[in-house]
Amino acid sequence: MSSILSVQNLNKSFGNKHVLHDVSFTVEKGHIVGLVGPNGAGKSTIMKAILGLINYQSGEIKIANQTVTPASHAALSKVGALIEYPGIYPFLTGWDHLQLFADGDHQLIHIQEIISQLNMDSYIKRKTKGYSLGMKQKLGIALALVNFPDLVILDEPMNGLDPEATKDLRDLIISESQRGTTFLISSHILSELQQLASDLLIIDQGAIVQQTTMHQLLASQGKQTIMLATNDDKTARQILKKAKFKMTADPRLEVVATDDETMPQVLRTLVEADIEIMDVKRLEGNLESSLLEVLKQYRVAQKLAKEQA
């Protein structure tokens, strides 16, 4: 499958601070790619460079085989983006914004589809000065999608969204992806990203640590988890901890599966304690714990390399 985005040997400095170190990766057409790493790792800087918003010292960025620089934007005609907070005119309605940025009236049906999928119908004709943070965020996402872009770049798109709006956004991204749209998404809400992304770019201290698939990352850590919902999760967690089951750090009720017997043993323990089990799911792995393990291994390797140099 051909790539829609190629970044090769990208280096960026702000004054004396070198923030991107020979960053190289590709993004395949139609994939949903998660860009993950700690705060300050360089995620937003990469996205801004791709969009031609900032210059860089060396390297090459190509979208659909066209080079992107702050002085060369032709490749961005089929790219949608939301970086940080959307730029919104307070005295225009949400509908006005979408019409203003739409590439002709033939997009009106698509505009209405996006509005409906994001549940914006009740306020889309109101002036945006009265919008909440979540409403503004959804409008920014709608603007990124309005012209059927081939590539969409979203930086923390779940900011300000409640659980229902987050699910609406997840469903919209999946449906647009099925049409062939490619997504590059940075988000600190890893549980949501785990449900969305097929591929992952892991970055730390301005360098790409690993480019992999979600399945490969979770499988490489050898962890399966059992996620439960009960009538009393707090008590259930205490019971399982007392029974020496290994729990994840996730605020949800999750148990690390050490073998095939873990699930029946967990269920038996809770039933015997008169805890009512409402739902149970076996998850392939936990993105948060897998990411932390990869970063830990990378930093240990970097430290050893420096000591041996």
Side-chain angles (χ1 to χ4, degrees):
M1 189 176 289
S2 60
S3 63
I4 188 170
L5 170 64
S6 171
V7 177
Q8 298 298 322
N9 304 116
L10 188 66
N11 286 276
K12 170 64 182 174
S13 297
F14 291 107
N16 295 324
K17 187 176 181 180
H18 196 176
V19 295
L20 296 181
H21 304 267
D22 288 320
V23 168
S24 296
F25 63 87
T26 58
V27 171
E28 303 300 321
K29 289 182 180 178
H31 286 215
I32 301 174
V33 181
L35 178 60
V36 295
N39 289 339
K43 301 185 294 295
S44 294
T45 303
I46 289 173
M47 289 180 156
K48 289 176 181 178
I50 292 170
L51 293 168
L53 298 175
I54 59 173
N55 213 336
Y56 46 91
Q57 276 65 45
S58 62
E60 184 178 59
I61 299 171
K62 285 190 174 183
I63 297 175
N65 291 320
Q66 289 183 284
T67 301
V68 177
T69 69
S72 179
H73 290 152
L76 299 174
S77 62
K78 294 295 287 180
V79 177
L82 175 60
I83 301 294
E84 296 173 349
Y85 300 102
I88 289 176
Y89 302 99
F91 296 101
L92 292 179
T93 68
W95 181 265
D96 291 335
H97 281 81
L98 292 167
Q99 281 193 303
L100 179 65
F101 285 93
D103 185 18
D105 290 340
H106 64 286
Q107 301 287 41
L108 292 181
I109 294 175
H110 185 52
I111 290 174
Q112 189 55 59
E113 286 177 353
I114 295 171
I115 291 169
S116 298
Q117 284 184 278
L118 290 176
N119 280 314
M120 301 169 66
D121 303 81
S122 63
Y123 58 84
I124 196 65
K125 297 293 181 68
R126 285 160 41 190
K127 291 182 180 179
T128 59
K129 65 178 181 178
Y131 279 21
S132 67
L133 174 61
M135 291 174 181
K136 291 177 181 178
Q137 190 74 358
K138 287 200 281 187
L139 179 57
I141 292 162
L143 289 169
L145 294 170
V146 71
N147 287 317
F148 291 106
D150 294 330
L151 172 65
V152 177
I153 296 175
L154 301 175
D155 188 12
E156 301 293 349
M158 287 86 173
N159 273 355
L161 300 186
D162 60 26
E164 183 180 2
T166 298
K167 183 184 182 303
D168 291 338
L169 174 58
R170 186 198 318 143
D171 292 342
L172 177 59
I173 289 172
I174 291 171
S175 67
E176 292 293 312
S177 156
Q178 290 169 345
R179 291 184 179 184
T181 305
T182 306
F183 287 85
L184 178 63
I185 304 171
S186 170
S187 176
H188 68 280
I189 307 176
L190 298 181
S191 58
E192 281 300 324
L193 205 56
Q194 183 171 348
Q195 298 181 67
L196 271 175
S198 55
D199 301 335
L200 287 171
L201 293 164
I202 301 174
I203 183 171
D204 189 32
Q205 300 171 22
I208 296 294
V209 174
Q210 192 174 357
Q211 177 167 5
T212 184
T213 67
M214 183 71 73
H215 174 75
Q216 287 172 338
L217 176 66
L218 299 179
S220 70
Q221 299 306 312
K223 290 181 181 178
Q224 285 191 337
T225 60
I226 300 160
M227 187 172 70
L228 301 121
T230 72
N231 63 335
D232 188 346
D233 286 354
K234 183 178 179 180
T235 301
R237 180 181 290 275
Q238 293 171 349
I239 291 168
L240 293 173
K241 280 186 174 181
K242 187 175 180 180
K244 305 300 183 184
F245 289 102
K246 186 177 180 182
M247 313 296 293
T248 72
D250 197 291
R252 298 172 298 183
L253 186 59
E254 279 192 6
V255 180
V256 176
T258 55
D259 54 43
D260 291 339
E261 293 301 312
T262 302
M263 182 181 286
Q265 289 170 355
V266 165
L267 298 178
R268 190 179 308 116
T269 301
L270 293 177
V271 169
E272 290 174 354
D274 291 327
I275 297 293
E276 186 177 350
I277 300 166
M278 315 298 290
D279 190 24
V280 59
K281 295 177 183 176
R282 183 187 290 274
L283 303 178
E284 185 177 33
N286 180 282
L287 177 56
E288 179 181 14
S289 58
S290 298
L291 174 62
L292 291 174
E293 185 62 30
V294 168
L295 292 174
K296 178 182 175 182
Q297 293 171 2
Y298 172 73
R299 290 169 183 174
V300 168
Q302 291 292 100
K303 183 178 178 181
L304 287 174
K306 286 181 180 180
E307 290 173 353
Q308 294 171 1

